Amino acid sequence: MKVIYKYELKIDTQQEIYLPKGYNILSVQTQRCVPCLWVEIDKSKEKVPVKIVTIGTGIEFENNGNLSYIGTYQINAVGLVFHVYEEKTKTKNDE
């Protein structure tokens, strides 16, 4: 059975979260000025590490084809805009 869960993100360049295998990232937005990731999951599956990369507007970064764009969020209180990617690995989402 599938369910949608919310995962709070840090405003940080890189972080790792644990998601059940077969996950489907739906959206990234802020809720009460906190960046959040909404993900469709199956709670019965084994969890795997998922690398999330956050890049601020105007910041240079390297993408060797291993970053997959998720979405953009804004922190309106301070006027900042961030762009969120998933760093893909060979075993990222294997069932």
Side-chain angles (χ1 to χ4, degrees), residues 14-26:
Q14 292 188 359
Q15 61 193 288
E16 192 170 78
I17 60 175
Y18 287 83
L19 300 174
K21 288 183 179 180
Y23 63 88
N24 181 26
I25 297 174
L26 301 175

Side-chain angles (χ1 to χ4, degrees), residues 2-90:
K2 299 280 185 172
V3 63
I4 298 171
Y5 271 10
K6 175 183 78 177
Y7 298 85
E8 290 187 0
L9 298 176
K10 300 175 198 168
I11 302 175
D12 200 355
T13 304
Q14 292 188 359
Q15 61 193 288
E16 192 170 78
I17 60 175
Y18 287 83
L19 300 174
K21 288 183 179 180
Y23 63 88
N24 181 26
I25 297 174
L26 301 175
S27 180
V28 62
Q29 297 182 37
T30 56
Q31 186 175 50
R32 293 182 285 282
C33 292
V34 175
C36 299
L37 196 63
W38 280 266
V39 184
E40 179 184 290
I41 64 165
D42 181 340
K43 296 187 303 183
S44 68
K45 302 275 183 164
E46 175 188 358
K47 289 186 178 181
V48 295
V50 177
K51 292 183 182 178
I52 302 295
V53 177
T54 300
I55 308 294
T57 297
I59 303 299
E60 292 183 359
F61 69 102
E62 194 169 321
N63 185 352
N64 297 322
N66 62 335
L67 296 179
S68 179
Y69 177 75
I70 296 171
T72 296
Y73 68 86
Q74 299 181 43
I75 305 291
N76 291 327
V78 291
L80 298 175
V81 180
F82 296 95
H83 312 279
V84 180
Y85 295 82
E86 177 183 0
E87 185 174 318
K88 301 283 187 166
T89 62
K90 291 180 182 178

